[in-house]
């Protein structure tokens, strides 16, 4: 029986694979990728380019988004509990119907550049004032 070829985390993402738990996609260029419904729980996406990517309804709980480019990405209804937003570029990013109350290191300056629906997006307590 022939073995299935080994796919790197990047190749799995490019092929639209949805199970990317703890994948290392740091420094990868995945701009415009369709990762809708993807499971990226605990994934390392630090310094990755995910500009204009579709991450709607993706599970990004505990993901490392440090320095990630998420410009104009779609994150509607994504799970972001524990995700680290240190120096993440979220300008133009769609954050509708998202619970941001338990993300880490999100700043007011970052939030001011994103597309947020105040009625459906739950902000962290330190930013809801």
């Amino acid at each position: 029986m022939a073995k299935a070829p080994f796919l790197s985390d990047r190749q799995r993402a490019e092929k639209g694979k949805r199970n990317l738990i703890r994948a290392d996609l740091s420094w990868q260029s995945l701009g415009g990728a369709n990762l809708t419904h993807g499971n990226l729980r605990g994934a390392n996406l630090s310094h990755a380019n995910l500009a204009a990517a579709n991450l709607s309804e993706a599970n990004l709980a505990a993901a490392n988004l440090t320095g990630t480019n998420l410009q104009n990405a779609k994150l509607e209804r994504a799970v972001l509990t524990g995700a680290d937003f240190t120096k993440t570029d979220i300008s133009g990013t769609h954050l509708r119907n998202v619970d941001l109350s338990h993300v880490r290191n999100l700043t007011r300056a970052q939030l001011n550049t994103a597309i947020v629906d105040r009625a459906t997006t739950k902000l962290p307590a330190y930013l809801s004032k």
Side-chain angles (χ1 to χ4, degrees), residues 18-81:
R18 301 293 182 240
N19 188 4
L20 294 163
I21 296 172
R22 292 186 298 282
D24 184 0
L25 296 168
S26 58
W27 298 96
Q28 298 299 311
S29 182
L30 296 167
N34 182 3
L35 296 167
T36 305
H37 300 286
N39 190 351
L40 293 114
R41 175 181 276 281
N44 181 3
L45 298 163
S46 63
H47 305 284
N49 176 15
L50 288 163
N54 189 346
L55 293 154
S56 296
E57 300 185 36
N59 182 350
L60 292 157
N64 180 358
L65 301 172
T66 301
T68 301
N69 177 1
L70 286 170
Q71 288 181 350
N72 302 308
K74 293 180 182 173
L75 288 165
E76 283 110 350
R77 295 173 304 281
V79 177
L80 296 165
T81 305

Side-chain angles (χ1 to χ4, degrees), residues 2 7 11 31 36 42 46-47 63 65 71 83 86 94 101 106-107 115 128:
L7 295 177
Q11 290 168 323
T36 305
S46 63
H47 305 284
L65 301 172
Q71 288 181 350
T86 302
H94 297 261
S101 63
L106 181 66
T107 67
I115 299 169
S128 0

